[in-house]
Amino acid sequence: MDDVKTYYNPLNGEYTKILRSSADTLGEYSLLEVNLMPGGGNPPHYHTRFTEEFIAVKGKLGLLYNKDIVYLDPGESRLVPIGVEHRFFNDSDEPIVFKIILRSGQPGFENFIKGLFGLVNDGKTTKKMIPKNPLYGAILLYWGDTHLKNLYFYLFSPLAALAYRIAKISGAERKLLDKYCLGEIVRDSQIK
């Protein structure tokens, strides 16, 4: 695993490695390892196509699980079922390490990480990690199966689905794949 690439997001202090891709596990799961700096985290969201299991490795992993705050010590884990709002965070003074298992395997989510972190590093997002190109935003939402529980997202969702179709037709998805995902294509049949 020494040749595993690390993807870095300077806006939330996250270093992510894809230890086992969906392709590696024949679609059974994707395994990620995250190093999260103090103050780092992501916004509350949920997924409709896969579960996430968070496993603390080093330090105290903070999780918002529904409306509860939960802390996991090394060796502890928490399964987040489909549709449950969650987020991870590090409110300590030290970096933490944790693993995430996505079931079933998620090539789209793997490309979501590569694409989002690439756009962040190239300065093509806002400070809140929203892509400046709305087509790229629609692509990332689709790939990552990422849903937010707020009025803006609820109103934007039908437009995002249309924008994703436009992104496919216009070649924007191919451009994003070629630039940040080494040309790996996510087929609709791979996304469950």
Side-chain angles (χ1 to χ4, degrees), residues 16 109 123 128 163 165 169:
T16 297
F109 191 88
K128 291 188 176 190
R165 286 194 289 282
I169 293 166

Side-chain angles (χ1 to χ4, degrees), residues 152-167:
Y152 173 77
F153 185 81
Y154 177 76
L155 295 173
F156 178 71
S157 290
L159 294 175
L162 175 61
Y164 175 70
R165 286 194 289 282
I166 292 169

Side-chain angles (χ1 to χ4, degrees), residues 43-111:
H45 64 280
Y46 65 97
H47 307 286
T48 61
R49 296 189 297 247
F50 59 92
T51 64
E52 281 185 282
E53 183 175 3
F54 292 88
I55 305 160
V57 174
K58 176 184 168 196
K60 193 173 284 285
L61 168 61
L63 288 178
L64 171 69
Y65 182 87
N66 270 331
K67 302 206 181 298
D68 297 325
I69 300 293
V70 177
Y71 289 94
L72 302 179
D73 290 317
E76 294 181 328
S77 66
R78 174 62 64 110
L79 179 68
V80 179
I82 289 173
V84 172
E85 186 176 41
H86 63 282
R87 73 179 286 261
F88 59 77
F89 61 90
N90 178 2
D91 61 1
S92 75
D93 295 332
E94 300 290 327
I96 63 172
V97 179
F98 59 97
K99 292 183 179 177
I100 305 170
I101 301 172
L102 311 174
R103 286 194 178 84
S104 59
Q106 294 298 309
F109 191 88
E110 295 165 20
N111 282 341

Side-chain angles (χ1 to χ4, degrees), residues 123-161:
K124 296 181 178 181
T125 67
T126 67
K127 291 184 181 189
K128 291 188 176 190
M129 297 182 283
I130 298 169
K132 293 176 182 175
N133 180 331
L135 292 181
Y136 287 170
I139 294 164
L140 292 175
L141 288 174
Y142 180 78
W143 285 352
D145 182 35
T146 302
H147 304 272
L148 309 173
K149 285 188 176 179
N150 66 40
L151 181 60
Y152 173 77
F153 185 81
Y154 177 76
L155 295 173
F156 178 71
S157 290
L159 294 175

